[in-house]
Amino acid sequence: MYVSEDLVSEAVIKINVDFTKSRSGVLVALGRSIPQFFDSSMKPLEDANAYLRTLARKQTAKSLLTSSEHVIEFLRWLLDSSLDLEDMDDGLFDSYVDALCAYAKPDGSQLSWNTVNSRASGAYRFLKWAHSKNLCPGVSIQELGTVKSGTKFKYKSRGHADRATKESVSFLLIDDSLKFIDALGTSRFSPETS
């Protein structure tokens, strides 16, 4: 698929599609609008759309929206890299994780660990599903899992430190602590009262 350079970052369009008037009883049974993806010429991205319809059977609307955001980021990376789903292998998934770890927002800040982990996990689940449908035969689920589990190390090796603790938290004054400990010692569950 060819996408002009000026449309690359906008090459994936998400539209919530209402399937309640579909001829397919399976789609009607979903009973709500489902995010569906299209390229810049409005051609449906059928594999990703089938995946979201599969998820719609078991996820809440909010979870489905989150999953669709993870998939759309992965699809945009595929298109930006001039790749198709069929091209995917473990090394390319590793490159996707690298891209997430190296990404800088417009303000210069990098993605948080939670964002990187969520997006990598979303892409991992999509690729597992795609592999089960023989859509990306070059993917080894075992190797994919190894790459996914190494995401935290890769993130930290890029210089992303865990957030420093601002200051310790004092929960109790010493007098309150002693009263609390004393109360625990005389509780109805202590060995002395059994």
Side-chain angles (χ1 to χ4, degrees), residues 73-133:
E73 290 298 328
F74 178 67
L75 294 173
R76 285 181 175 154
W77 176 83
L78 278 175
L79 291 174
D80 285 349
S81 303
S82 300
L83 297 169
D84 288 320
L85 185 58
E86 299 82 27
D87 300 328
M88 280 305 296
D89 62 23
D90 317 320
L92 289 174
F93 180 64
D94 195 37
S95 295
Y96 175 65
V97 172
D98 278 337
L100 289 173
C101 292
Y103 180 79
K105 298 180 200 175
D107 68 1
S109 65
Q110 296 174 313
L111 298 176
S112 72
W113 161 243
N114 287 342
T115 301
V116 169
N117 187 47
S118 295
R119 289 181 181 176
S121 296
Y124 170 75
R125 287 186 295 273
F126 175 56
L127 288 172
K128 275 180 62 175
W129 175 87
H131 179 76
S132 75
K133 304 293 182 191

Side-chain angles (χ1 to χ4, degrees), residues 3-190:
V3 179
S4 70
E5 289 301 315
D6 57 344
L7 291 176
V8 167
S9 64
E10 299 298 322
V12 180
I13 300 163
K14 181 177 82 169
I15 298 174
N16 288 325
V17 177
D18 184 351
F19 288 104
T20 56
K21 296 191 189 304
S22 171
R23 286 185 235 166
S24 167
V26 173
L27 294 175
V28 171
L30 296 174
R32 59 182 161 158
S33 68
I34 299 167
Q36 298 287 271
F37 302 124
F38 300 85
D39 68 13
S40 59
S41 63
M42 295 308 294
K43 178 183 168 205
L45 301 177
E46 294 178 13
D47 298 333
N49 291 341
Y51 174 66
L52 287 177
R53 289 191 302 269
T54 300
L55 291 182
R57 292 182 180 108
K58 55 189 170 190
Q59 287 187 345
T60 65
K62 186 173 180 175
S63 294
L64 185 62
L65 178 63
T66 301
S67 295
S68 73
E69 292 301 322
H70 297 155
V71 172
I72 201 169
E73 290 298 328
F74 178 67
L75 294 173
R76 285 181 175 154
W77 176 83
L78 278 175
L79 291 174
D80 285 349
S81 303
S82 300
L83 297 169
D84 288 320
L85 185 58
E86 299 82 27
D87 300 328
M88 280 305 296
D89 62 23
D90 317 320
L92 289 174
F93 180 64
D94 195 37
S95 295
Y96 175 65
V97 172
D98 278 337
L100 289 173
C101 292
Y103 180 79
K105 298 180 200 175
D107 68 1
S109 65
Q110 296 174 313
L111 298 176
S112 72
W113 161 243
N114 287 342
T115 301
V116 169
N117 187 47
S118 295
R119 289 181 181 176
S121 296
Y124 170 75
R125 287 186 295 273
F126 175 56
L127 288 172
K128 275 180 62 175
W129 175 87
H131 179 76
S132 75
K133 304 293 182 191
N134 204 29
L135 300 173
C136 49
V139 169
S140 159
I141 297 301
Q142 183 176 0
E143 289 299 316
L144 202 66
T146 302
V147 171
K148 168 62 187 91
S149 64
T151 303
K152 179 82 172 191
F153 175 76
K154 186 172 289 208
Y155 181 80
K156 284 186 172 189
S157 71
R158 291 278 188 160
H160 301 278
D162 289 333
R163 289 190 186 150
T165 307
K166 292 181 182 173
E167 63 182 72
S168 61
V169 178
S170 298
F171 292 102
L172 303 169
L173 299 171
I174 192 70
D175 291 338
D176 291 339
S177 299
L178 292 173
K179 289 177 186 173
F180 178 74
I181 292 169
D182 187 47
L184 287 176
T186 59
S187 75
R188 63 185 178 103
F189 298 110
S190 68

